[in-house]
Amino acid sequence: MVSEAQSIRVDVQRDTLPAEEPRIRDFANQGRVCDRFRATRGRRPDVDTRSPEVRIQAFLDKAAVTLYLDTSGEALNKRGYRRDAGEAP
């Protein structure tokens, strides 16, 4: 469960919608998610684009928006996994 006390980031993937500035699209959807928190829980969560506590994936198509919680976190290579990479065979 996501708490309004946690920081969030919403990453958006679109299917066949017209191209637009990704940062503006993502910002607008983060605002909608935060507004939903305020409407249901009385408080908006903080938005942290660098290291959020909760990542939310939004998939847009012409008819709907589907939201998913990203439970796997940052990619392994971005978390410092295998810092000392060896030479490829």
Side-chain angles (χ1 to χ4, degrees), residues 12-46:
V12 180
Q13 304 293 319
R14 70 176 194 286
D15 185 19
T16 56
L17 298 175
E20 58 190 49
E21 175 62 40
R23 289 178 297 165
I24 294 171
R25 181 189 66 236
D26 292 350
F27 179 76
N29 285 292
Q30 285 179 144
R32 290 181 183 132
V33 171
C34 289
D35 288 344
R36 181 69 177 171
F37 270 93
R38 182 175 38 198
T40 59
R41 299 183 182 177
R43 182 171 177 247
R44 288 172 57 111
D46 292 329

Side-chain angles (χ1 to χ4, degrees), residues 17 19 37 41 43 57 59 62 67-68 76-77 80 82-83:
L17 298 175
F37 270 93
R41 299 183 182 177
R43 182 171 177 247
Q57 298 291 324
F59 294 91
K62 290 181 181 179
L67 299 175
Y68 296 95
L76 288 177
N77 65 328
R82 284 192 174 179
R83 288 185 187 153

